[in-house]
């Protein structure tokens, strides 16, 4: 036997994609038109005859001949009408008589169902015939009509065959999309390819692939229809109508009632979402969701928010026609019921219940919980739908995202609390499935991670029904060299709280923009900077012109196809010397200290490329599109919105946007107005800042956790910096501090992944503080990047934690360093295990450091000013008047404090 020896398909480009055919291969072509089968079968036969092979055409269907008569081709007719048993026996006899190494072409197998009236007998025939052909070192071609057979029958055929390939038209183009290729692999094998007869061109760009597959695969998941549950009953009642008839009947009472019922089953009973769903989602939209839902249950807040926002943009009139701008989403959903089935079947339900009720788990304990989730298994019917999903995407990168029922809701964003896992999706189908299942399980486990539990407890949601659905999205992007990424990605807010100049209109919003994956826009990464765009004045920057290059993006997040992993790399290493399509819209060239626009995409003629996005902003409609997008969504939601997006720029500056996420964002204190007292003696002022983002008055602050920025930057070794965030977390949860208001102060950026630049604290480490102050020194004309726009900032907003960036170097600010240096340190009394860190971490008990006084903060978000000072309980904090110069001060306000020399 010569199993595995490579043979020629007759199509050189197909040989390249598949790594050739092999002796023993049964090749199933799933076709939308019979003539497409001829396009691949005829070259196969021609090549085999040319190579001197014996070729048999098995003829049993009433359609036209697949292969015309030609010298050397043997045609054998077998009659299927006597039934499955006799037909299978006759075919088996032909194979036995023909012997080893014969090549076969079969007629369209789908027509056997017309004779036998069942898909199961068709699958039985295939399972009987193909192993025998495989044993005899044959290569056999079969045709199967796409979308015509039951899920179970197709699954059995797929599992028995060695090669399964989809062959279909989208408009005038013909596509070849390998679904299964046994024991062979290349990085392009499982992508859709445009087939011209001579060439096969892989489709790398996500928007193009989405459009192709959405058109070609109306029902990519095989959904069982034998349930009597209300869920499937409602679906079947609506699915019985053809799309045109359903559209005509949508206004009737009966159809409206079914629509409302289906919407509640998919999206949930939440009033705000129901209002938007009833207004914007059509029955066709709801049926489309159901056709892409794995299992049953609800799709969760993140998925619902994304779908509703897209429909709002496509429905509401405005300056931008989003039908021309918005890309297809091409997403799938794992229903919330699957989560509970997974928990119950794997003995995890009681564990989740215990953790949810306890609401406290240490990071090291959570690692053991994750391992238990990783060991879990899914039911067979869910696994079959997972296979459908991976067949659909092929080797296109995907992302598995949490979409819990409470997530991205009105008032509860859960920003960054649950996991999102990229699947670069390279390797054999089995390897890709393993990685995909791992991603699903990690997202499920994140429902009980420490940050999520702390957030739920803080928001009063500890006992709420938090079911975890999952949103699976095609990663938006394109392939460039060995990397996959979107040219543009970011977050955009319909309200801009971070105004570095009074010229900025906060009502028009703000954008954080990056090259590459949007992970860099929502996470805090040291040493790198996003492009902040004030929508009202997009060309304004927070940096001095000479410092734009230093405070720009230098690294980008990409999916490395060759290494099958997410990586962070220098921008120019990814782009390469030949440049990137439309790179001139993203980069400027620093020449002799001045930035100049770039023409073309190549880097070879540039002295110092800098990511400024200047031409994107000034020469395209990008900002205008985002302005209209944000305005439409805010008007429909009735709230400030926070969105995530990717974007593409064509060679002539045309813009395409993919909206990935939209959630309402409540801003407590964002517009708070408070009069800053003007008569506070200098020795009582702890700090003053003029870049306040959230406002309000916080009285009676008894404890200040202060991390000295200079000691942290200059004297603290890396191993010590790694534990600072955990120690802050212990103080955050300490019973004595929990009984009072706390303010935390320390080097920005808090929450950064770079411990050299800030405290690596998570939400559960700071959630009990009333105020978080990030202290950063202004460096050579640059206003340091703040938290605004990151997941970390959203945590602070939703928890009503007042966030203040403090820049001690600015002349308009003040910082009383003497108070913090001389105040007694309570650290070791509260945490004896922190011995040796007293110079770095100080816990100031304010009434002890300043008898009879506590700290008070007055922050005015409207004008950006804030003042923190020492105050007695009866001191006024509003409408205070300034003492004239030289006037006598109130003696009570000049009391001596313990920290004074």
């Amino acid at each position: 036997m010569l199993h595995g020896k490579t043979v020629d398909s007759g199509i050189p480009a197909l040989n390249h994609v598949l790594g050739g055919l092999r002796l023993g291969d049964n090749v199933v072509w799933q076709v939308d038109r019979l003539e497409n089968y001829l396009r691949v079968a005829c070259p196969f036969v021609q090549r085999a005859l040319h190579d001197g092979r014996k070729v048999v055409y098995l003829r049993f269907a009433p359609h036209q001949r697949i292969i015309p008569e030609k010298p050397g081709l043997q045609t054998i007719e077998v009659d299927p009408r006597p039934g499955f048993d006799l037909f299978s026996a006759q075919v088996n006899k032909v194979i036995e008589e023909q012997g080893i190494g014969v090549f076969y072409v079969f007629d369209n197998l789908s027509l056997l169902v017309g004779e036998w009236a069942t898909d199961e007998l068709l699958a039985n025939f295939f399972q009987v015939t193909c192993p025998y052909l495989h044993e005899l070192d044959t290569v056999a071609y079969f045709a199967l009509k796409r979308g015509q057979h039951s899920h179970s029958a197709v699954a059995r055929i797929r599992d028995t065959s060695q090669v399964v390939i989809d062959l279909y038209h989208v408009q005038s183009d013909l596509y070849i999309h390998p679904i299964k290729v046994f024991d062979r692999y290349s990085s392009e094998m499982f992508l859709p390819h445009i087939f011209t007869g001579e060439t096969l061109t892989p489709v790398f760009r996500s928007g193009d692939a989405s459009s192709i597959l959405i058109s070609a695969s109306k029902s990519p998941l095989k959904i069982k229809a034998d349930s009597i549950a209300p869920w499937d009953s409602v679906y079947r009642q609506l699915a019985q109508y053809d799309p045109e008839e359903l559209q005509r009947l949508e206004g009737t009472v009966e159809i409206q009632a079914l629509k409302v019922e289906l919407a509640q089953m998919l999206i949930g009973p939440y009033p705000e979402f129901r209002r938007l769903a009833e207004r914007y989602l059509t029955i066709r939209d709801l049926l489309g969701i159901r056709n892409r839902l794995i299992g049953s249950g609800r799709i969760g807040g993140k998925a619902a928010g994304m779908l509703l926002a897209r429909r709002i943009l496509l429905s509401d009139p405005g300056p931008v026609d989003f039908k021309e701008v918005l890309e297809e989403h091409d997403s799938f959903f794992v229903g919330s019921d699957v989560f509970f089935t997974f928990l119950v079947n794997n003995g995890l339900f009681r564990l989740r219940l215990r953790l949810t009720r306890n609401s406290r788990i240490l990071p090291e304990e959570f690692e053991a919980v994750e391992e238990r989730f990783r060991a879990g298994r899914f039911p067979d019917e869910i696994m079959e739908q997972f296979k459908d999903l991976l067949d659909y995407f092929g080797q296109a990168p995907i992302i598995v995202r949490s979409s819990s029922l409470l997530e991205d809701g009105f008032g509860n964003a859960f920003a960054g609390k649950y996991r999102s896992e990229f699947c670069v999706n390279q390797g054999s189908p089995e390897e890709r499935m393993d990685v995909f299942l791992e991603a699903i399980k990690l997202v499920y486990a994140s429902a009980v991670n420490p940050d999520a539990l702390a957030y739920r407890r803080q928001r009063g949601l500890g006992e709420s029904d938090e079911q975890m659905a999952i949103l699976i999205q095609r990663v938006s992007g394109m392939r460039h060299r060995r990397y996959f990424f979107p040219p543009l990605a970011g977050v955009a807010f319909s309200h801009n709280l971070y105004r570095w100049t009074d010229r900025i209109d906060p009502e028009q919003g703000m954008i954080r923009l990056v090259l590459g994956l949007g992970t860099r826009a929502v996470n805090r990464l040291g040493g790198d900077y996003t492009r902040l765009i004030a929508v009202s004045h997009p060309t304004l920057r927070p940096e001095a012109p000479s410092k734009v290059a230093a405070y720009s993006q230098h690294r980008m997040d990409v999916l490395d196809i060759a290494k099958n992993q997410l990586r962070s790399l220098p921008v120019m290493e990814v782009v390469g010397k030949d440049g990137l399509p439309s790179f001139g819209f993203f980069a400027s060239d620093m020449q002799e200290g001045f930035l100049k626009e770039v023409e073309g995409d190549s880097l070879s003629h540039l002295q110092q490329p800098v990511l400024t996005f200047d031409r994107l902003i000034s020469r395209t409609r990008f900002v205008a599109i985002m302005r209209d997008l944000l305005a439409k969504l805010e008007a429909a939601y009735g709230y400030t919105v926070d969105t995530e997006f990717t974007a593409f720029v064509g060679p002539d500056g045309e813009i395409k946007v993919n909206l990935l996420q939209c959630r309402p964002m409540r801003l407590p204190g964002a517009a708070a107005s408070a009069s800053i007292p003007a008569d506070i003696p200098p020795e009582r002022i702890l700090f003053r800042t003029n870049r306040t983002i959230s406002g309000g008055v916080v009285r009676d602050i008894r404890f200040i956790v202060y991390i000295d920025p200079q000691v942290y930057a200059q004297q603290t070794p890396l191993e010590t910096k790694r534990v600072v965030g955990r120690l802050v977390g212990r103080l955050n949860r300490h019973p004595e501090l929990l009984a009072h208001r706390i303010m935390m102060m320390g080097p920005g950026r808090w929450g950064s992944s770079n411990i050299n630049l800030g405290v690596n604290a998570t939400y559960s480490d700071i959630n009990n503080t009333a105020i978080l102050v990030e202290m950063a020194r202004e460096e050579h004309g640059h206003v340091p990047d703040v938290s605004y726009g990151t997941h970390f900032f959203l945590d602070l907003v939703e928890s009503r934690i007042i966030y203040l960036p403090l820049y001690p170097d600015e002349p308009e600010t003040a910082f009383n360093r003497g108070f913090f240096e001389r105040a007694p340190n309570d650290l070791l009394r509260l945490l004896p295990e922190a011995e040796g860190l007293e110079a770095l971490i100080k816990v100031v008990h304010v009434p002890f450091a300043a008898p009879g006084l506590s700290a008070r903060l007055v922050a005015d978000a409207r004008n950006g000013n804030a003042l923190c000072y020492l105050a007695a309980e009866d001191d006024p904090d509003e409408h205070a008047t300034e003492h004239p110069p030289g006037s006598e001060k109130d003696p009570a306000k000049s009391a001596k404090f313990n920290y004074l020399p």
Side-chain angles (χ1 to χ4, degrees):
M1 294 294 179
L2 299 172
H3 276 331
K5 182 180 178 181
T6 302
V7 297
D8 198 328
S9 70
I11 303 174
L14 183 62
N15 295 334
H16 174 73
V17 170
L18 300 182
L21 298 177
R22 294 182 181 177
L23 292 179
D25 277 352
N26 292 285
V27 183
V28 177
W29 293 90
Q30 299 188 117
V31 300
D32 57 351
R33 308 175 192 173
L34 186 61
E35 57 265 31
N36 290 343
Y37 185 37
L38 276 66
R39 295 276 300 271
V40 293
C42 288
F44 167 67
V45 170
Q46 188 68 33
R47 185 69 212 183
L49 292 173
H50 178 270
D51 291 343
R53 296 188 180 277
K54 189 175 183 180
V55 183
V56 173
Y57 172 30
L58 270 172
R59 185 97 168 92
F60 52 80
H63 59 60
Q64 68 184 54
R65 287 181 64 100
I66 301 297
I67 309 296
E69 293 183 3
K70 56 182 61 184
L73 174 66
Q74 183 178 1
T75 301
I76 299 177
E77 295 192 8
V78 184
D79 188 356
R81 288 176 296 181
F84 159 78
D85 193 17
L86 185 57
F87 179 79
S88 299
Q90 288 177 322
V91 172
N92 190 274
K93 183 180 179 183
V94 169
I95 296 170
E96 182 180 7
E97 291 174 348
Q98 294 298 321
I100 295 172
V102 179
F103 285 15
Y104 292 87
V105 173
F106 285 69
D107 272 347
N108 182 6
L109 292 178
S110 297
L111 294 176
L112 292 175
V113 177
E115 297 293 343
W116 301 340
T118 168
D119 278 340
E120 289 306 302
L121 289 180
L122 170 62
N124 289 341
F125 166 72
F126 199 84
Q127 284 192 292
V128 166
T129 305
C130 286
Y132 192 21
L133 289 167
H134 181 69
E135 289 174 15
L136 296 176
D137 279 346
T138 70
V139 178
Y141 270 31
F142 303 86
L144 201 65
K145 192 70 181 292
R146 295 181 81 233
Q148 189 170 306
H149 302 285
S150 69
H151 178 242
S152 61
V154 173
R156 289 170 62 191
I157 291 171
R158 179 184 61 197
D159 291 344
T160 307
S161 60
Q162 285 70 46
V163 179
V164 180
I165 303 175
D166 273 354
L167 183 61
Y168 53 81
H169 272 94
V170 174
Q171 298 178 349
S172 60
D173 292 323
L174 181 61
Y175 291 88
I176 282 181
H177 186 178
I179 302 299
K180 176 183 179 181
V181 184
F182 177 71
D183 199 29
R184 277 150 281 179
Y185 170 72
S186 75
S187 63
E188 301 175 4
M189 182 178 288
F190 298 103
L191 296 173
H193 295 70
I194 299 177
F195 180 38
T196 63
E198 298 294 331
T199 61
L200 282 171
T201 306
V203 179
F204 288 122
R205 188 176 175 275
S206 60
D208 295 336
S210 295
S211 298
I212 292 164
L213 291 174
I214 288 171
S215 298
S217 306
K218 300 300 183 185
S219 299
L221 299 176
K222 312 302 187 298
I223 299 171
K224 292 179 68 176
D226 54 358
S227 171
I228 61 171
W231 169 273
D232 285 310
S233 175
V234 171
Y235 174 73
R236 285 198 302 273
Q237 288 181 69
L238 289 170
Q240 67 181 321
Y241 300 98
D242 63 61
E244 292 76 15
E245 185 179 9
L246 197 57
Q247 189 171 0
R248 291 196 304 271
L249 296 174
E250 186 156 353
T252 65
V253 174
E254 179 185 0
I255 299 299
Q256 275 297 308
L258 290 172
K259 174 188 171 184
V260 170
E261 194 171 353
L262 184 58
Q264 183 162 332
M265 290 175 178
L266 290 169
I267 293 174
Y270 311 110
E272 293 91 346
F273 273 142
R274 281 185 62 185
R275 171 181 64 84
L276 292 171
E278 289 176 10
R279 177 177 176 185
Y280 289 102
L281 294 184
T282 65
I283 291 180
R284 185 176 180 180
D285 293 328
L286 295 171
L287 291 176
I289 295 170
R290 180 66 184 104
N291 286 336
R292 285 171 169 256
L293 180 70
I294 293 172
S296 62
R298 291 171 179 155
I299 62 174
K302 186 175 290 178
M306 180 269 294
L307 293 169
L308 286 167
R310 297 175 70 89
R311 182 49 58 190
I312 289 166
L313 295 177
L314 293 170
S315 302
D316 286 351
V320 176
D321 182 0
F322 280 95
K323 294 183 179 67
E324 302 296 325
V325 171
L326 201 61
E327 290 191 341
E328 301 274 6
H329 68 83
D330 205 14
S331 304
F332 288 79
F333 320 96
V334 181
S336 55
D337 293 354
V338 180
F339 175 58
F340 283 125
T341 301
F342 179 83
L343 294 177
V344 172
N345 288 354
N346 293 286
L348 295 167
F349 186 80
R350 291 180 63 188
L351 172 65
R352 172 184 173 270
L353 198 62
R354 176 174 61 81
L355 292 173
T356 301
R357 286 177 175 171
N358 184 40
S359 294
R360 298 182 190 277
I361 180 173
L362 297 176
E364 51 269 27
E365 294 174 317
F366 178 63
E367 290 178 8
V369 172
E370 270 193 330
E371 287 306 311
R372 288 192 58 183
F373 273 80
R374 279 183 163 130
R377 297 175 64 87
F378 289 93
D380 290 343
E381 60 269 24
I382 297 301
M383 286 297 299
E384 284 301 318
Q385 291 191 309
F386 285 163
K387 287 180 182 178
D388 287 341
L389 180 145
L390 290 184
D391 284 350
Y392 176 89
F393 283 121
Q395 287 166 288
I398 57 177
I399 182 169
V400 177
R401 310 184 71 188
S402 65
S403 182
S404 79
L405 265 60
L406 297 177
E407 197 170 358
D408 284 10
F410 286 74
N412 303 299
F414 283 84
K417 295 296 160 296
Y418 302 134
R419 291 185 79 142
S420 291
E421 291 290 318
F422 283 103
C423 298
V424 187
N425 209 18
Q426 303 302 298
S428 69
E430 294 77 18
E431 290 169 334
R432 291 187 285 125
M433 177 61 78
D434 288 344
V435 172
F436 173 72
L437 293 176
E438 174 93 346
I440 295 274
K441 294 170 188 177
L442 288 175
V443 173
Y444 278 171
S446 70
V448 290
N449 76 50
D451 265 14
L453 293 177
Y455 180 90
R456 290 175 61 185
R457 184 177 67 251
Q458 188 83 13
R459 307 291 293 162
L461 302 170
E463 297 296 324
S464 299
D465 182 22
E466 177 64 321
Q467 303 173 29
M468 181 62 76
I470 285 179
L471 170 63
I472 301 164
Q473 293 177 300
R474 179 189 295 275
V475 176
S476 181
M478 62 183 186
R479 187 165 175 176
H480 178 68
R481 301 167 66 210
R482 59 185 278 180
Y483 308 110
F484 190 94
F485 56 90
L488 298 169
V491 291
F493 303 84
S494 62
H495 191 93
N496 184 2
L497 296 178
Y498 179 48
R499 290 178 293 161
W500 55 87
T501 169
D502 292 340
R503 295 165 61 190
I504 293 171
D505 177 6
E507 301 299 326
Q508 294 193 44
M510 171 205 158
I511 303 166
R512 289 173 63 95
L513 188 66
V514 296
L515 176 71
L517 296 170
T519 43
R520 299 189 83 79
V522 296
N523 296 323
R524 314 205 65 197
L525 300 166
D528 227 13
Y529 300 87
T530 61
R531 174 66 198 264
L532 298 182
I533 302 174
V535 176
S536 66
H537 291 76
T539 59
L540 293 181
R541 301 190 62 126
E543 306 92 353
S546 62
K547 298 301 174 183
V548 168
Y551 298 103
S552 62
Q553 181 184 350
H554 301 98
R555 299 178 69 85
M556 59 189 293
D557 290 351
V558 299
L559 301 179
D560 188 327
I561 300 298
K563 291 195 172 183
N564 202 16
Q565 62 183 224
L566 171 68
R567 299 183 68 193
S568 177
L569 297 168
V571 169
M572 298 312 159
E573 179 181 326
V574 174
V575 172
K577 291 193 175 182
D578 292 336
L580 182 73
S582 302
F583 193 63
F585 288 101
F586 313 145
S588 301
D589 190 22
M590 181 68 74
Q591 299 180 12
E592 300 177 354
F594 294 95
L595 288 170
K596 296 186 178 181
E597 284 194 355
V598 172
E599 296 292 339
D601 302 329
S602 174
L603 305 183
S604 59
H605 63 288
L606 303 184
Q607 294 183 14
Q608 183 185 349
V610 179
L611 284 181
T612 62
F613 304 101
D614 284 349
R615 284 191 67 208
L616 173 77
I617 292 168
S618 63
R619 304 288 186 93
T620 76
R621 298 176 61 220
F622 173 72
V623 175
I625 288 169
M626 296 304 297
R627 180 186 295 115
D628 192 38
L629 179 147
L630 294 169
K632 279 184 176 180
L633 294 178
E634 183 176 274
Y637 269 78
Y639 290 91
T640 298
V641 294
D642 159 16
T643 67
E644 294 183 19
F645 67 91
T646 60
F648 290 84
V649 187
D652 297 324
E654 61 273 21
I655 301 292
K656 289 283 188 180
V657 174
N658 190 0
L659 184 64
L660 306 176
Q661 185 172 339
C662 178
R663 56 182 162 222
M665 180 179 171
R666 298 196 183 198
L667 302 176
S673 176
S675 297
I676 306 295
D679 59 347
I680 306 301
E683 64 269 21
R684 279 204 180 187
I685 293 174
L686 297 182
F687 64 82
R688 184 194 305 273
T689 180
N690 65 343
R691 297 190 185 278
T692 296
I693 289 177
S694 48
V697 177
V698 182
R699 301 176 179 85
D700 198 26
I701 302 165
R702 295 299 181 101
F703 285 95
I704 301 174
V705 177
Y706 172 72
I707 300 171
D708 190 308
Q710 292 184 358
V711 174
Y712 188 90
Q714 299 170 10
Q715 303 175 27
T716 305
L718 279 176
E719 57 270 21
T720 301
K721 290 179 178 180
R722 291 190 180 98
V723 303
V724 170
R726 304 292 78 81
L727 291 174
V728 168
R730 293 180 189 177
L731 291 169
N732 175 66
R733 296 181 287 273
H734 196 286
E736 186 170 341
L737 271 65
L738 283 174
H740 302 285
R741 288 194 177 97
I742 313 167
M743 177 167 65
M744 294 187 179
M745 304 176 65
R749 315 166 182 178
W750 286 61
S752 171
S753 62
N754 187 334
I755 58 176
N756 286 317
L757 297 182
V759 181
N760 187 18
T762 66
Y763 173 78
S764 60
D765 295 323
I766 56 93
N767 66 306
N768 293 316
T769 190
I771 304 161
L772 181 69
V773 181
E774 289 190 343
M775 304 176 67
R777 298 208 171 267
E778 185 169 341
E779 302 175 23
H780 310 294
H782 172 68
V783 180
D785 191 20
V786 296
S787 286
Y788 182 55
T790 65
H791 287 159
F792 190 76
F793 174 78
L794 297 179
D795 288 339
L796 306 180
V797 167
E798 292 199 329
S799 299
R800 297 178 180 268
I801 296 171
I802 291 183
Y803 164 73
L804 301 172
L806 174 61
Y807 305 109
D809 295 332
E810 291 189 343
E812 298 85 358
T813 67
F815 174 59
N816 190 343
R817 185 173 180 83
F819 172 83
F820 294 96
E821 288 179 342
R822 291 186 286 267
N825 191 350
D826 259 8
L827 176 65
L828 296 186
R829 181 178 68 82
L830 298 167
L831 291 182
E833 65 270 28
E835 185 175 2
L837 298 178
E838 303 94 310
L840 174 63
I841 305 174
K842 178 168 281 191
V843 181
V844 179
H845 185 205
V846 180
F848 181 74
L853 303 176
S854 61
R856 181 177 300 177
L857 176 80
V858 181
D860 187 348
R862 293 187 178 177
N863 62 30
N865 293 324
L867 179 69
C868 184
Y869 60 99
L870 297 167
E873 186 175 345
D874 57 351
D875 282 352
D877 52 27
E878 295 180 300
H879 308 296
T881 57
E882 185 176 359
H883 286 278
S887 65
E888 186 175 337
K889 293 182 174 60
D890 182 350
K893 295 181 185 287
S894 300
K896 298 291 183 183
F897 309 132
N898 285 354
Y899 68 85
L900 293 176

